[in-house]
Amino acid sequence: MSVAVPVAPRLLINGELVEASDKKTFPLYNPATRELSANVPEASEDDTNAAVAAAKAAFPAWSATDPAKRGACLKKLAGLIRAHNSELARLEAISMGLPVSRFHYGHSAAAHLDFYAEAWPLIQGQASVNTPGHVTMTLRQPYGVVALIIPWNAPVHFFASKAAPALITGNTVVVKTSEKAPLAVARIAELAREAGFPPGVLNVLSGHGTPAGQVLSRHGDVRALSFTGSSRTGKLIQQEAARTNLKKVILELGGKSPAIVFADADLERAAQQTQASIQANSGQVCMANSRVYVEKGAAARFVAAFTKRFAAVRAGDPLEPGTNHGPQADEVQYRSVVGYIEDGIAGGAGGTLALGGRGTLDSTGGYFVEPTVFVDTPEDARLLRDEVFGPVVSINTFETEAEAVAKANDSEFGLYAAVYTANISRALRVAKALESGYVGINCTSPLTGRDLPFGGYKGSGQGREGLLYSMSNFLETKSVIIQLDGE
Ligand code: NAD
């Protein structure tokens, strides 16, 4: 179905779809064409406080509701999201440029909602008789109002993977979407009204980091905050939380993921998968392998196979089904990525340019960046240290296993690392040595095991998310000790 532009999304506060209280909106442009896609409400400080107040008021009844009934709302929303998958795909395409051919998030979000709808029997404490004369137990209970601040690169996924576990455990929720991609989740907010959530249980705000995100980070009635986004913003949120009510903070942050390719690996597979990893969402994926280390003897063959594939992307209108490479999300992202590339080219600071190297705004009218490959990038280059968040990869070489591991670990990030080799002992030795929350052996990101925890070492975050893990993020643990008479 087509989407009529400009879209006029609303905030969801206390069960009502409303404009910002001061009527303020901001324009959102299609990054492929720079045409106006939407006028988006900018949630004010008052709106944010109103959403938190609504969530606080809804908490006692929602947390006391039979969890199976809470689950029924999640299930209903899952069905509605599935039914609107192609509309959500188009809304993402016209906001942050993800090709509709690559949008699978409606189905993955629905799967999360379905899973958590039935996961409530897993909300369990423990009991013991290890304290003589007493029985002891723990109770797992919701925090109260939970804030969820999500990024723009996969909003529908992050909405569901955070809101579903928070809601099924009895918390009430305020979601803050990214200013770069608020449309799909604003549509889900409309669907949520049909799903039967009582007013105030689920609130959705659009707007910039300031004021809405900042107010949530500081708010005394927000007891837990789950954030996915950049390391820079994660640190600001952590500071605000520490300065105010010490709310629990879960952080899923940036990455600079390495892939190590030994000469005995299936080089074709390694090239195909590492290329797909950095191409996905035009390189705007937290776990994209933006650094590839190849054993010296295999480097020339690997670079040839990699660049051949990377050069063959089909860039174009994200709304066209044949497109598999969209623009960067907006002008800020575009200028930032092009800046890194230009820095890398200038004086050879980023090594040797083997493919691409240009932004094509002038010729295409959209924020497209050519797939770009540097080889032999100096380890201290900005290009290799920072998260570029674009279709830009550095392919470097190593001679020994120890050197490969040392280079891979020489980063403040630690989200996802990959190792390709036919030698199982080496694969596991390297997996053990990598400072990374995730390791792919003979595979790489964005592949993840569906029931594994996800999260970062070092500057890539704190805490873990995942089907079996996220409910714990939203449950307090209370210890209860009972003295027995007559023992
Ligand atoms: P961002 O940090 O700029 O913004 C994320 C969210 O935080 C947005 O909703 C934004 O409005 C809000 N925000 C901005 N300033 C704020 C403030 N001062 N207080 C509170 N909220 C504020 O990140 P982004 O550009 O939207 O997303 C890209 C980043 O997210 C990349 O670094 C990427 O690696 C990371 N990411 C991490 C994961 C993961 O699971 N580890 C997944 C996806 C993306």
Side-chain angles (χ1 to χ4, degrees), residues 149-153 158 176-180 207-210 213-214 217 227-231 233 236-237 252-255 285-286 333 387 389 415 454 460:
I149 302 182
I150 61 176
W152 50 267
N153 60 349
F158 290 116
K176 214 278 298 158
T177 56
S178 163
E179 60 278 13
K180 295 191 202 313
H208 289 76
T210 308
Q214 192 182 56
S217 316
F227 171 75
T228 296
S230 65
S231 298
T233 307
L236 290 175
I237 289 173
E252 294 286 352
L253 308 177
V285 175
C286 53
Q333 291 299 125
E387 183 181 45
F389 232 50
L415 195 56
F454 187 88
S460 286

Side-chain angles (χ1 to χ4, degrees), residues 153-482:
N153 60 349
V156 174
H157 166 76
F158 290 116
F159 165 81
S161 64
K162 290 182 192 292
L167 289 165
I168 195 64
T169 43
N171 300 277
T172 52
V173 163
V174 181
V175 178
K176 214 278 298 158
T177 56
S178 163
E179 60 278 13
K180 295 191 202 313
L183 302 185
V185 175
R187 183 72 182 105
I188 292 175
E190 293 173 14
L191 300 175
R193 288 192 352 136
E194 293 172 41
F197 291 99
V201 167
L202 172 63
N203 305 274
V204 178
L205 303 175
S206 50
H208 289 76
T210 308
Q214 192 182 56
V215 171
L216 290 172
S217 316
R218 293 176 175 176
H219 207 298
D221 287 336
V222 173
R223 291 292 167 193
L225 189 158
S226 177
F227 171 75
T228 296
S230 65
S231 298
R232 187 190 143 274
T233 307
K235 286 179 188 171
L236 290 175
I237 289 173
Q238 182 80 302
Q239 281 169 13
E240 290 295 343
R243 201 179 58 75
T244 54
N245 65 345
L246 214 57
K247 58 180 66 62
K248 176 177 179 175
V249 176
I250 301 119
L251 300 173
E252 294 286 352
L253 308 177
K256 189 73 187 173
S257 294
I260 299 173
V261 182
F262 286 92
D264 66 352
D266 179 339
L267 284 191
E268 267 304 315
R269 186 210 288 184
Q272 182 259 317
Q273 293 183 347
T274 52
Q275 183 274 319
S277 173
I278 192 68
Q279 184 193 334
N281 206 3
S282 299
Q284 301 168 129
V285 175
C286 53
M287 53 181 153
N289 53 219
S290 48
R291 300 183 288 151
V292 183
Y293 294 101
V294 187
E295 195 169 355
K296 205 158 199 164
R301 263 188 309 144
F302 180 88
V303 171
F306 189 104
T307 48
K308 186 171 164 217
R309 289 174 179 281
F310 211 11
V313 300
R314 295 185 304 279
D317 183 350
L319 292 170
E320 290 298 325
T323 299
N324 69 9
H325 184 78
Q328 305 314 118
D330 69 358
E331 182 170 3
V332 175
Q333 291 299 125
Y334 174 82
R335 301 257 173 240
S336 164
V337 174
V338 170
Y340 274 105
I341 294 175
E342 286 173 355
D343 263 21
I345 293 173
T352 306
L353 183 69
L355 182 73
R358 284 185 321 126
T360 62
L361 176 60
D362 291 344
S363 54
T364 62
Y367 299 120
F368 292 89
V369 173
E370 290 177 346
T372 296
V373 177
F374 286 92
V375 295
D376 298 329
T377 305
E379 290 295 319
D380 59 356
R382 216 164 71 89
L383 198 59
L384 211 56
R385 316 255 14 127
D386 296 357
E387 183 181 45
V388 175
F389 232 50
V392 183
V393 70
S394 291
I395 304 179
N396 282 2
T397 58
F398 66 88
E399 293 189 52
T400 66
E401 182 180 316
E403 180 191 354
V405 170
K407 285 180 167 172
N409 283 344
D410 184 17
S411 168
E412 261 314 296
F413 296 108
L415 195 56
Y416 195 122
V419 52
Y420 287 85
T421 175
N423 178 332
I424 184 69
S425 292
R426 175 157 62 194
L428 290 172
R429 259 195 326 267
V430 171
K432 266 177 72 183
L434 287 167
E435 296 164 0
S436 177
Y438 227 104
V439 178
I441 295 179
N442 292 327
C443 59
T444 187
S445 64
L447 186 78
T448 53
R450 296 201 298 182
D451 57 352
L452 287 179
F454 187 88
Y457 271 36
K458 303 192 280 189
S460 286
Q462 60 188 27
R464 292 293 181 270
E465 294 186 324
L467 292 177
L468 298 177
Y469 301 87
S470 292
M471 289 198 304
S472 263
N473 289 335
F474 302 115
L475 288 167
E476 271 286 17
T477 301
K478 181 183 290 170
S479 294
V480 179
I481 184 163
I482 309 147

